[in-house]
Structure formats: structure tokens, C-alpha cells
Amino acid sequence: TINALVRLLVPVLAYTSEEIWSYIPKPKGSPISVQLTSMPVVNKTYLNEELESKWEKLLAVRGEVAKALEVARQEKIIGNSLEAEVELYLDEKWLKFLQPLKKDLLMIFIVSDLELYPLAMAREDLFASGELEGFQVKIIPATAEKCERCWNYSASVGTNREHPTICARCGEVLKQI
């Protein structure tokens, strides 16, 4: 609920939390200031260890890709992450875990394209993870055109007759407006 959320935000957004607190409905006898409340109690039924484990792995993967992107930025291969295409060379365990999430990984990594390959196809010029075993990364500059709306580089830019400077995904969004 908003009541719990605003109490969680206090350490980060003190003034904003105080303003929110002044507008939301509160139980009778609630403190006048959100600063005088306690943290909400965790509802154990909402805890999901499987989901937590999945996100811990995803954040570890994101961290390794971010390291490779930074190296590519320093070497002037790319300017920013959206100018990158990422190739991941993975052992069977990582491949099985990441393959179903491939579409979401583009947003998690903030890159324009992503390909997943078996580790057996890895070459010597790859960024090898020091943290994750069986995980190697190759960053290459994006080869497609840049979408004016979302700034992703996509092969679908130019395929929309009404909006030739945007990608197919943005074209679908604009149809709904």
C-alpha cells in the first residue's frame, strides 16, 4: 500500500515522503510526520526465494555485461550502451537460464541487440568474467539504424511507412496512441 511505500522512501526522499504523507489517508492516531513512523513489517507470505535467486543471478550477469560495456567504452568501440550489440558465450547452465529471458535482457542490459551462443563457440578476444564461470562477453558496435524515438539501434528502422525513422516496436506503440 501507499502507506508502507512512503515509509520505505523516507530515508531516500525525506521531503517528498513528508509531502506524500500529508496527502494520503491514514488510520486515526497516526503520527503527524512520516518521520515519526516505524518501518513496515515484512509479510512473509510475499517472500519468494526462487524469484530472489533468479534476480540475484540476473544482477550478477548484468554486472559482468556492464564491465564489458565499460571496457568497450574506454577502448572507444562504443559511446554508450545502446550503441552496443552484446554476444554472450555461455556454458550449458547459463544458456538454459538466459535463453527464455533473452528479450528482457535487452532492457536489463540497456543494449540494442543480444545474441546467446554456446561457450564452445567462444574466441580468444572475449571479455571473460572473473565472477561467473562459463560466461564470456563480446561487445561490438551496433550495425543497424538508430530509432529516433527510443534510440535503440534496430534493423526494423525504416520499415514503417508512416514513421520511417522509428523501429517496429515504437511503431506499434504509436498505433495505440
Side-chain angles (χ1 to χ4, degrees):
T1 69
I2 186 72
N3 191 295
L5 182 60
V6 73
R7 289 185 286 158
L8 290 170
L9 288 172
V10 169
V12 181
L13 297 168
Y15 294 110
T16 304
S17 299
E18 198 64 54
E19 187 173 357
I20 294 168
W21 186 256
S22 70
Y23 287 100
I24 63 173
K26 297 171 281 302
K28 200 166 193 96
S30 293
I32 192 163
S33 170
V34 70
Q35 304 282 338
L36 300 173
T37 63
S38 58
M39 284 289 170
V41 177
V42 175
N43 185 340
K44 301 262 189 229
T45 60
Y46 295 144
L47 297 178
N48 183 332
E49 290 180 21
E50 184 181 326
L51 183 62
E52 182 180 0
S53 173
K54 178 181 177 179
W55 273 101
E56 283 176 0
K57 287 180 188 175
L58 282 172
L59 290 173
V61 166
R62 180 176 175 240
E64 292 304 300
V65 171
K67 289 176 191 175
L69 287 167
E70 186 56 35
V71 169
R73 238 189 309 276
Q74 290 173 358
E75 294 175 355
K76 308 280 189 228
I77 294 170
I78 59 168
N80 65 60
S81 64
L82 284 176
E83 294 176 7
E85 293 179 9
V86 176
E87 294 178 353
L88 296 180
Y89 294 85
L90 310 163
D91 66 14
E92 193 63 36
K93 174 188 77 162
W94 283 114
L95 206 51
K96 184 179 176 183
F97 175 68
L98 294 176
Q99 191 67 48
L101 305 169
K102 183 178 175 187
K103 188 175 180 180
D104 297 322
L105 292 175
L106 291 171
M107 288 183 276
I108 292 170
F109 300 157
I110 313 173
V111 297
S112 290
D113 199 12
L114 171 72
E115 291 298 329
L116 305 175
Y117 298 105
L119 191 58
M121 295 177 65
R123 302 180 307 268
E124 290 183 18
D125 63 338
L126 302 177
F127 175 85
S129 171
E131 306 284 323
L132 307 176
E133 191 175 320
F135 188 95
Q136 295 185 10
V137 184
K138 174 74 174 174
I139 305 296
I140 56 175
T143 55
E145 293 292 318
K146 183 178 182 180
C147 173
E148 282 187 349
R149 184 172 179 272
C150 69
W151 297 5
N152 279 292
Y153 289 76
S154 172
S156 67
V157 172
T159 59
N160 185 318
R161 289 186 182 153
E162 287 183 49
H163 307 284
T165 59
I166 64 171
C167 66
R169 187 184 74 167
C170 288
E172 289 300 315
V173 170
L174 291 177
K175 278 184 189 178
Q176 298 171 9
I177 297 176

